[in-house]
Amino acid sequence: MPNFASRIAGTCLRRAAAAACAGALALGACSAGTDAGTPSPDDGRPVVLTTFTVLADMAENVAGEHLRVESITKVGAEIHGYEPTPGDVRRATEADLVLDNGMGLEAWFARFVADLDVPHVVVSEGVDPIPLGDDTAEEYRGKDNPHAWMSPVQAQHYVRNMADAFAELDPAHADDYAANAAAYSAELAAVHDELTAALDALPATHRALVTCEGAFPYLARDAGLTEQYLWAVNAEQQATPRSVVAAIEFVEENDVPAVFCESTVSDKAMRQVALESGAAFGGTLYVDSLSAPDGPVPTYLDLLRHDAETIVAALTGAGGDA
């Protein structure tokens, strides 16, 4: 298995490759990435519309060359509280299939599709859910954490659901979708092995993940990490004095070497936690959105590897203060 040092060394090569082939559609090629939120010219293929760029990338790997996959939201968009535009509604009415994460992630989605005569599939069906805690906003209390795709294990449910949905949409290519899904699931399983092996190297006292949003319980469960956060879901998007103090105390009591924040929210409060606790700011993690093709996470697999590399480097003292 390649170690994470070699993964880091190859990041620039991955970025360059992604930029060079962002429009490629074959399995294993680069995904739609940054262009996923922009309508593409009609080329006669059935159109699959996803709610955010991570799902678009996963769907492209399963669809291969047979379907045109696009994302409603663009790179960098915050998915929880997104407000659909009239253009989004128009694109959805013209789509052949709409995919959403479900689990309460897209709070706007029910209103968005209520009056649309377009089939849609919840791709998180079948995951092993983790409930949100009592510290979340009242509207989310008692619900499950929606960020199941952050686990390569749970993401394989997404892939199977996509393959089944595509086979129903386009039965003529059902065997291709099944084969693509199997190959992509194998890649996800390999990434899971890489992540857990790298995170297993962390000392017991440093096995804590402190983030702005509580978006990592599935990854934490996979890797045996303790999770602490400033807010449970980005729909809240605001740290409270109590949550900041709690994070500072957690970091100090557990001697956590580094803390993190996500790409779609402000890191100001977490940098305060770092300053007050003496921990390093470990860097930016990606959850709800891919990056531009020349950025650090042009694909979903890159997102998973980038986050693991960032976490391991900061918690082992090889990175931080990014």
Side-chain angles (χ1 to χ4, degrees), residues 205-211 228 250-251 254-261 270 273-274 277-283 310-321:
T205 55
H206 291 176
R207 299 184 66 82
L209 184 56
V210 182
T211 59
Q228 179 77 18
F250 178 88
V251 171
N254 294 278
D255 195 27
V256 179
V259 298
F260 309 87
C261 199
M270 189 54 78
V273 172
S277 67
F281 181 77
T310 301
I311 292 165
V312 170
L315 294 184
T316 57
D321 289 316

Side-chain angles (χ1 to χ4, degrees), residues 89 92-94 108-120:
V89 175
T93 61
E94 297 171 353
W108 47 273
F109 188 75
R111 302 191 311 273
F112 181 71
V113 299
D115 298 322
L116 298 179
D117 186 22
V118 177
H120 91 271

Side-chain angles (χ1 to χ4, degrees), residues 46-213:
V47 175
V48 176
L49 194 62
T50 73
T51 47
F52 61 112
T53 56
V54 173
L55 295 188
D57 181 74
M58 296 172 73
E60 275 204 337
N61 279 275
V62 178
E65 63 185 7
H66 302 305
L67 305 173
R68 178 157 58 94
V69 179
E70 298 178 355
S71 170
I72 295 170
T73 57
K74 296 184 179 182
V75 162
E78 206 298 295
I79 185 64
H80 299 76
Y82 181 74
E83 292 292 336
T85 68
D88 295 332
V89 175
R90 183 174 60 255
R91 292 173 66 195
T93 61
E94 297 171 353
D96 296 284
L97 175 67
V98 178
L99 304 180
D100 70 301
N101 182 82
M103 303 178 75
L105 177 73
E106 306 97 334
W108 47 273
F109 188 75
R111 302 191 311 273
F112 181 71
V113 299
D115 298 322
L116 298 179
D117 186 22
V118 177
H120 91 271
V121 170
V122 177
V123 294
S124 64
E125 289 291 337
V127 304
D128 181 14
I130 297 176
L132 288 165
D134 293 335
D135 54 351
T136 189
E138 185 174 351
E139 68 214 77
Y140 290 96
R141 208 162 296 158
K143 297 183 179 180
D144 295 325
N145 192 299
H147 302 91
W149 71 89
M150 292 305 297
S151 159
V153 174
Q154 301 304 318
Q156 294 175 55
H157 291 288
Y158 287 55
V159 172
R160 284 192 290 272
N161 291 331
M162 289 177 180
D164 290 343
F166 296 166
E168 184 171 347
L169 173 66
D170 178 28
H173 297 110
D175 289 346
D176 288 345
Y177 300 135
N180 292 349
Y184 194 51
S185 291
E187 289 189 79
L188 287 168
V191 170
H192 166 74
D193 291 343
E194 294 170 13
L195 302 193
T196 53
L199 294 170
D200 278 347
L202 293 173
T205 55
H206 291 176
R207 299 184 66 82
L209 184 56
V210 182
T211 59
C212 287
E213 183 187 15

Side-chain angles (χ1 to χ4, degrees), residues 11-12 38 44 81 84 135 157 233 253 275:
T11 295
C12 291
T38 302
D135 54 351
H157 291 288
V233 292
E253 291 170 2
L275 179 65

